[in-house]
Amino acid sequence: MTALAHEAPWADTGPADQDTPRPELDEVLWQAWESMELPEGFHAEIVEGFIEVSPTGCYAHSQIANKLRRAADRYLADSPYAGHQDTNVIHGRKVWIPDVLIALEDAEEQDVVEHGVGINASAVKVVVEVVSPGHNSITRDRVRKRRAYARAGIPVYVLVDDHDLRGTVTVFTSPAPGKADYAAEHHVPYGTDIALPEGPAKGFVIGEAITGG
């Protein structure tokens, strides 16, 4: 992962302020992000005052994400919601690309941003990140994206973490945007079923069939 923009100098005032740089920096980062032409196999996000360029996931990473998205689609088959991948989630001038998200299969017109460049975070019910190897990637998913998704008020954040002991799944709920955190979390090791507690995918189980034992 490579950071392409300097962190804002006021970003050390506390976690709740790190995603709110001055409007002009927000706009500069957004314009730079829009103009980027990346080689195949890379994507860019705007996270807490940085443009971060990351390679797409390795096989094990993508296998978990693909299994989870397909299982979610089966679970949601009789609802208007679906699992999505490779979708830009937009919050103000921030951009994130979760490994999986759950939103309406056909987004409402008002939720599609900037001529189709992405979907509003307010329309997203669940985000899932499968942690990638490397210190920066691990910190991004465990810390920076947890804060960012909470600030955006996304109701459920699922963290599938290959790099925590022998693997863990954590479900974060009850976002507190002002505190840049989730008030509730439930944490289980790989091989133990964990069900989403709310939203259109309430009751959807993440277990050994998705993560492995």
Side-chain angles (χ1 to χ4, degrees), residues 80-192:
Y81 290 87
H84 302 262
Q85 291 178 288
D86 299 321
T87 301
N88 296 324
V89 175
I90 312 295
H91 180 61
R93 284 309 199 218
K94 314 299 184 296
V95 185
W96 313 302
I97 309 172
D99 290 311
V100 181
L101 67 88
I102 292 175
L104 288 172
E105 184 170 11
D106 298 305
E108 302 286 350
E109 183 177 354
Q110 66 269 19
D111 291 325
V112 178
V113 180
E114 300 280 344
H115 311 293
V117 73
I119 184 174
N120 271 317
S122 59
V124 176
K125 305 306 179 184
V126 180
V127 287
V128 180
E129 296 288 357
V130 181
V131 178
S132 298
H135 174 74
N136 285 338
S137 295
I138 290 170
T139 302
R140 178 190 61 204
D141 290 340
R142 290 181 184 170
V143 180
R144 297 197 300 278
K145 280 198 167 181
R146 173 177 171 172
R147 291 191 300 232
Y149 292 146
R151 287 188 192 99
I154 294 176
V156 180
Y157 176 30
V158 178
L159 186 68
V160 182
D161 195 342
D162 256 357
H163 307 283
D164 182 13
L165 300 176
R166 294 185 178 180
T168 60
V169 180
T170 305
V171 175
F172 299 97
T173 55
S174 302
K179 295 182 178 180
D181 204 356
Y182 286 88
E185 63 181 87
H186 186 41
H187 185 80
V188 301
Y190 281 9
T192 301

Side-chain angles (χ1 to χ4, degrees), residues 23-34:
E24 59 267 28
L25 178 60
D26 251 1
E27 192 60 36
V28 167
L29 291 175
W30 176 264
Q31 291 177 12
W33 176 83
E34 281 196 307

Side-chain angles (χ1 to χ4, degrees), residues 198-210:
E198 61 182 76
K202 181 178 180 180
F204 172 65
V205 172
I206 301 170
E208 188 170 352
I210 292 172

